[in-house]
Amino acid sequence: MATPEQLKSFNEETIAELALRLEEDDYSIPFDSLSDWHLLRALAIHRPELALPYHHLIDQEPFDED
């Protein structure tokens, strides 16, 4: 689970790196991709302004967790 500090540390550059890893799907350990996916999902909930361009990588229905 992502910590609040971890989520706050993301910016446009670091989320782009995260999204690129997910798009390329070149993980040596499958659980690493799952961790990145959960991190992107947490960012979409808590920092939607950063995650909006990568919403297509979150393979689910729209959500509202306010």
Side-chain angles (χ1 to χ4, degrees), residues 32-51:
D32 289 344
S33 65
L34 187 59
S35 293
D36 277 355
W37 184 86
H38 281 290
L39 182 54
L40 182 60
R41 184 176 182 276
L43 285 162
I45 293 168
H46 299 285
R47 307 271 319 268
E49 73 283 359
L50 285 178

Side-chain angles (χ1 to χ4, degrees), residues 1 4 7 9-10 13-14 17 21 27 42 56 58 63-64:
M1 175 177 250
L7 296 175
S9 72
F10 271 82
E13 183 180 323
T14 53
E17 292 170 3
R21 286 196 308 266
Y27 295 92
H56 64 281
I58 302 170
F63 52 87
D64 181 11

